[in-house]
Amino acid sequence: MQLELSAEDAAFRQEMRTFFTTQVPQEIRDAVAERRELTKDQVVASQRVLNAAGLAVPHWPEEWGGRGWSALRRHIWHEEMQRACVPTPLAFNASMVGPVIAAFGSQEQKERFLPRTANLDIWWSQGFSEPDAGSDLASLRTTAVREGDEFVVNGQKTWTTLGQYGDWIFNLVRTDPEAKKQAGISFLLIDMTTPGVTVRPIELIDGGHEVNEVWFEDVRVPAENLVGELNKGWDYAKFLLGNERVGVAPVGSTKRVLAQAKDYARSVSVAGGLTLLDDPLTVARIAELENELLALELTALRVVAHSADGKPHPASSVLKLKGTELQQAVSELVVDLAGPASLASGAGDADSDLAGWARHATPVYLNLRKASIYGGSNEIQRQIIAKTILGL
Amino acid sequence: MDFTYDEEQQALREAVRGLVGKSYSDFENRRRTVAEDPGYDELLWSRLAEMGVLGLPFDEAYGGMGAGPVEVGIVAQEIGRVLAPEPFLTSVVLAGGVVALAGTEEQKSSLLEAVGSGETVLAFAHAEPGTRWVSTAQDVTASGDGDGWTLTGVKEPVPFGARADQLVVSARLGDGGTALFLVAGDAPGLTRSGYPTFDGGRAARVTLDGTPATPLGSATDASAQIARALDAARIAACNEAIGAMQYALSATSEYLSSRKQFGVPLKTFQALTFRAADMYVSLELATSVATWATMVLASGTDAEVAEAAARAGLQVSRASRHVGQEAIQLHGGIAMTAEYSVGSYTSHLTALDHLFGDGQLHLSTLAAGIGDHDEVDPLA
């Protein structure tokens, strides 16, 4: 056992810290720090800075821009990025479709898509969930029927995050309606400008537009856009979801928000000339969250240090479960610190004397209710722990 | 950074597991042992001494093994897994730890060797009625000078205070400082009333009435050493609790798989399996912090160790209550019986939680310090 990072890993950490805090545009990092919604241009600009330095897709195969880092270094890269308020590379590109194409795509698909995916020249959307297929993803019904050199796609996807910006969408589609649930599914790439693709916004409780419905009506997709083998899509989806869980405990960003919360608490006066940071219940709440985050961070380190052969450690469900709970709890704390100022969510910077963090607190809190639902709901994670770890 | 045991550490774990498991994997044997005084198995104690376990943390110069907190943690976990009642935590880690920190060379040579060989059982008589979890003495006072010292007052509860051959006693000096003294088990003016604790352990009221005592080290303020020894014992207690929780969770999982109700195994009911999954989450998080604190103890400053002990103490306290309470609930009525093991684990977890400071104490310590840092960085 050894507590310290090796000298090499410590130097790596410092190198990441320096890069992220000096090379990514300050106004983008400020927007993250103030928890403002990022524009598409900001997300693209940030990822391109990272990609130019070889830091956008370090976990990909080296041939396509990967760096061959240890799991620990990938963890450090990810944490330092969040700590420095740098937007993490678009997950749909970097963690989802990119690794699937790199692992299962044809050589032609790799050459055509991977460089542009890494550089965010293509903005990918995810077409997995459907109205009747959420956590029970294999129930999906969108069909793709082969006609000559094309698939004809019909159906509806939902919860398509940031689909309004999407250039292409990667989909799970049913290609064999006779086969058992998981067996007849394929993984298909669709250009979103193809006739018959319609994106409709879904309005959410935070007042923002983040997710969409995507409709496919007789959409004709070249057969060359099928990834891997026909009817093997479920295997690729499992591979992708395994990747998704690895980075799913946002320890670095939650820690950063909790650290900011102390400053917020200091800025709020309460009776007797004191601030909220003098309030015993507030400090106890912060201290408890800090300790749980420490436990989560150390657990993440245990998991990355022991993840063999790139397979997710069984305890990674703990990270998803607890990581999202703490992310939500910290967002709830910030709303409580804001108090009445939290009501001013509709006020722009020019119209309000109230602090930006306080005005953004409730939309963020409401938005983060999603965290325990997506990526395999927390109930699914409990099911995984009970079944695969406890044998129940 | 590495959270895994090396080969020697794994071998230690297997050896200790084999030895304590031989006695206590049969839970009935543990019940018989704790039912009679001294509350543990003297023969097993001497076998642990032969294996080097009782001298594990002490320098080789004092007849010890010169091992570190990681090895102590391994032993504590194995003791926790089978609920071994032997006083490793209180006599070796805590009382021995106090001697190692505060004794003169001569005292360390003679006492630590005697502890390591199993010849002498030590007790640290520190807690006093009306105070809790402080590193100073209040109402037990020392008077004298040079070698001629006497102690007066009451220490309670003193773990294994009646069985101990010698006592290490903290006492207040005239100048307000807290010094440490050695008191022989047969010293005049020493009265000890021993009693069982709810978890099958032993404690005692120790009354000192002009009792002659020898200074441990110099008769000057030793509260810093007491604090450090308590922090080391807290971290060892966290490891013991981790071992006990591991057992409580695996027993609960097995029970949910085997016990039938309404014609089907209990694990058919998601309301139950989800609660077991949450126990696993608590245990994993607590294990991470306890393991980290154990490593901090191996290399950290007093202040770093104090913080790590509070952090591990808080996390383990929360987890112990959660895992212990749920283990009983998920078992149902059987867990309320003394003859079935799982309730006893909850009982011992409760004792460990209150031995050196509970979650509320640690949270209060940590809350007082939140303004001193932005983020907690475990790798700093």
Side-chain angles (χ1 to χ4, degrees):
Chain A
M1 287 204 184
Q2 192 205 330
L3 184 58
E4 292 79 20
L5 291 174
S6 68
E8 295 77 18
D9 287 334
F12 173 81
R13 189 190 203 201
Q14 193 52 51
E15 185 194 325
M16 291 297 117
R17 194 168 286 188
T18 304
F19 181 88
F20 293 136
T21 52
T22 59
Q23 301 302 310
V24 177
Q26 186 66 42
E27 66 269 21
I28 296 178
R29 297 172 51 227
D30 287 345
V32 173
E34 288 163 27
R35 308 171 94 200
R36 293 201 301 264
E37 206 175 304
L38 297 182
T39 64
K40 177 180 182 178
D41 286 347
Q42 287 175 319
V43 175
V44 171
S46 171
Q47 181 153 338
R48 287 185 183 160
V49 171
L50 299 183
N51 196 43
L55 297 177
V57 292
H59 48 295
W60 287 14
E62 288 181 60
E63 190 188 351
W64 300 107
R67 302 291 295 271
W69 287 343
S70 65
L72 175 62
R73 288 204 174 184
R74 279 166 53 187
H75 176 80
I76 292 171
W77 162 77
H78 196 250
E79 293 301 297
E80 290 301 327
M81 204 157 38
Q82 294 181 49
R83 183 165 289 148
C85 299
V86 171
T88 48
L90 189 68
F92 309 110
N93 287 40
S95 314
M96 299 185 186
V97 75
V100 168
I101 293 175
F104 305 107
S106 65
Q107 185 63 25
E108 195 204 339
Q109 285 171 341
K110 291 177 192 175
E111 287 168 11
R112 180 178 175 199
F113 290 114
L114 289 178
R116 295 200 294 152
T117 298
N119 203 46
L120 203 39
D121 299 335
I122 301 173
W123 183 298
W124 285 94
S125 289
Q126 181 185 34
F128 278 17
S129 294
E130 296 187 8
D132 288 324
S135 286
D136 179 18
L137 185 57
S139 293
L140 61 91
R141 288 202 295 251
T142 295
T143 57
V145 177
R146 180 84 183 233
E147 282 183 15
D149 290 339
E150 292 176 329
F151 286 101
V152 180
V153 179
N154 279 285
Q156 182 199 350
K157 295 289 175 181
T158 193
W159 310 129
T160 309
T161 304
L162 302 179
Q164 67 268 38
Y165 302 145
D167 301 308
W168 281 70
I169 182 166
F170 55 95
N171 295 272
L172 290 178
V173 290
R174 192 160 294 285
T175 38
D176 181 357
E178 307 301 318
K180 276 206 301 184
K181 256 170 102 172
Q182 281 90 349
I185 292 173
S186 297
F187 196 100
L188 193 61
L189 310 177
I190 301 178
D191 181 340
M192 290 177 80
T193 60
T194 316
V197 177
T198 311
V199 178
R200 293 179 192 161
I202 300 173
E203 198 182 332
L204 295 184
I205 55 172
D206 61 356
H209 171 200
E210 183 179 64
V211 291
N212 304 269
E213 293 177 318
V214 180
W215 294 80
F216 299 97
E217 285 162 286
D218 292 326
V219 177
R220 305 193 79 85
V221 180
E224 69 200 33
N225 290 359
L226 175 76
V227 175
E229 292 179 50
L230 194 71
N231 296 330
K232 287 280 166 63
W234 188 252
D235 293 343
Y236 312 148
K238 275 200 303 189
F239 170 86
L240 177 156
L241 294 170
N243 286 334
E244 191 183 29
R245 257 203 298 284
V246 170
V248 82
V251 185
S253 63
T254 308
K255 277 176 70 171
R256 176 170 49 70
V257 177
L258 187 60
Q260 288 171 327
K262 296 184 196 177
D263 289 334
Y264 302 160
R266 263 190 210 103
S267 72
V268 178
S269 296
V270 293
L274 300 174
T275 76
L276 264 183
L277 204 63
D278 301 305
D279 170 51
L281 290 181
T282 301
V283 294
R285 197 166 155 195
I286 292 173
E288 187 114 35
L289 287 167
E290 244 177 21
N291 218 48
E292 291 218 82
L293 275 167
L294 170 70
L296 181 71
E297 180 175 10
L298 291 165
T299 304
L301 287 168
R302 278 171 66 212
V303 167
V304 295
H306 303 152
S307 60
D309 314 327
K311 282 188 191 146
H313 188 283
S316 53
S317 285
V318 172
L319 303 181
K320 162 64 169 73
L321 185 58
K322 200 68 193 182
T324 52
E325 280 181 4
L326 289 175
Q327 189 182 23
Q328 293 174 334
V330 170
S331 75
E332 190 178 348
L333 167 75
V334 174
V335 175
D336 292 342
L337 296 176
S342 68
L343 292 166
S345 63
D349 289 348
D351 311 322
S352 179
D353 278 356
L354 300 168
W357 69 266
R359 288 183 279 123
H360 299 137
T362 310
V364 171
Y365 159 73
L366 291 172
N367 183 274
L368 280 175
R369 295 286 101 202
K370 71 190 177 189
S372 46
I373 300 168
Y374 65 40
S377 71
N378 285 8
E379 286 65 37
I380 292 289
Q381 305 306 326
R382 286 188 176 88
Q383 185 85 357
I384 292 171
I385 293 168
K387 260 198 161 55
T388 65
I389 301 178
L390 301 179
L392 298 175
Chain B
M1 188 216 53
D2 180 6
F3 282 78
T4 53
Y5 296 139
D6 63 28
E7 276 179 31
E8 272 184 49
Q9 290 164 341
Q10 287 178 37
L12 171 69
R13 184 179 63 180
E14 295 314 311
V16 175
R17 184 174 293 184
L19 189 55
V20 296
K22 203 182 279 177
S23 293
Y24 298 123
S25 53
D26 173 10
F27 185 66
E28 266 308 300
N29 195 38
R30 191 223 179 232
R31 287 191 68 204
R32 278 194 297 273
T33 304
V34 301
E36 284 174 29
D37 280 336
Y40 64 90
D41 181 349
E42 300 270 16
L43 187 62
L44 176 61
W45 192 246
S46 63
R47 295 230 165 97
L48 286 166
E50 282 162 27
M51 195 186 265
V53 170
L54 306 189
L56 200 67
F58 309 135
D59 280 356
E60 288 166 32
Y62 312 130
M65 304 281 281
V70 175
E71 286 76 14
V72 169
I74 287 170
V75 174
Q77 284 191 21
E78 293 310 315
I79 282 179
R81 287 170 67 89
V82 293
L83 232 49
E86 279 65 29
F88 177 74
L89 179 61
T90 53
S91 289
V92 175
V93 180
L94 178 58
V98 170
V99 172
L101 282 168
T104 63
E105 281 303 307
E106 202 185 334
Q107 287 169 330
K108 287 194 267 190
S109 289
S110 61
L111 261 180
L112 296 181
E113 186 160 352
V115 171
S117 68
E119 207 176 289
T120 295
V121 171
L122 279 185
F124 183 36
H126 177 61
E128 295 177 18
T131 72
R132 57 193 230 156
W133 305 318
V134 292
S135 54
T136 53
Q138 313 290 316
D139 295 333
V140 170
T141 54
S143 48
D145 52 51
D147 289 335
W149 289 84
T150 58
L151 308 182
T152 296
V154 176
K155 290 288 187 181
E156 185 181 5
V158 179
F160 290 93
R163 162 66 184 84
D165 304 296
Q166 286 197 61
L167 302 171
V168 179
V169 184
S170 58
R172 196 158 52 82
L173 299 170
D175 66 5
T178 294
L180 292 161
F181 297 88
L182 290 169
V183 173
D186 56 2
L190 176 71
T191 317
R192 301 187 280 177
S193 351
Y195 44 78
T197 57
F198 53 79
D199 64 329
R202 293 294 187 277
R205 179 185 68 196
V206 172
T207 308
L208 303 135
D209 182 11
T211 306
T214 312
L216 180 73
S218 57
T220 52
D221 184 59
S223 46
Q225 286 95 325
I226 295 171
R228 169 83 185 201
L230 284 172
D231 285 330
R234 283 176 179 128
I235 290 169
C238 285
N239 279 288
E240 191 168 320
I242 296 295
M245 283 190 272
Q246 284 170 352
Y247 176 86
L249 176 58
S250 72
T252 303
S253 298
E254 279 171 33
Y255 189 77
L256 292 176
S257 296
S258 60
R259 167 76 167 164
K260 286 190 174 178
Q261 292 276 268
F262 308 102
V264 289
L266 286 177
K267 71 173 181 179
T268 319
F269 302 105
Q270 197 174 57
L272 306 183
T273 59
F274 274 26
R275 291 171 74 157
D278 284 337
M279 291 165 73
Y280 176 79
V281 173
S282 283
L283 173 55
E284 281 301 308
L285 295 171
T287 302
S288 300
V289 187
T291 307
W292 167 77
T294 306
M295 291 192 274
V296 173
L297 179 60
S299 60
T301 63
D302 283 355
E304 287 165 351
V305 167
E307 188 191 327
R311 295 199 173 283
L314 171 57
Q315 200 72 25
V316 170
S317 172
R318 296 281 189 267
S320 293
R321 293 178 189 210
H322 176 216
V323 171
Q325 290 167 7
E326 290 289 79
I328 293 178
Q329 181 67 25
L330 294 182
H331 273 83
I334 184 77
M336 297 297 295
T337 67
E339 68 186 47
Y340 188 81
S341 65
V342 85
S344 299
Y345 279 81
T346 305
S347 177
H348 186 56
L349 285 169
T350 309
L352 286 173
D353 194 19
H354 294 103
L355 195 50
F356 307 128
D358 66 3
Q360 188 177 313
L361 172 83
H362 299 312
L363 179 59
S364 149
T365 305
L366 295 172
I370 62 155
D372 307 343
H373 55 273
D374 289 333
E375 295 184 5
V376 179
D377 184 355
L379 298 176

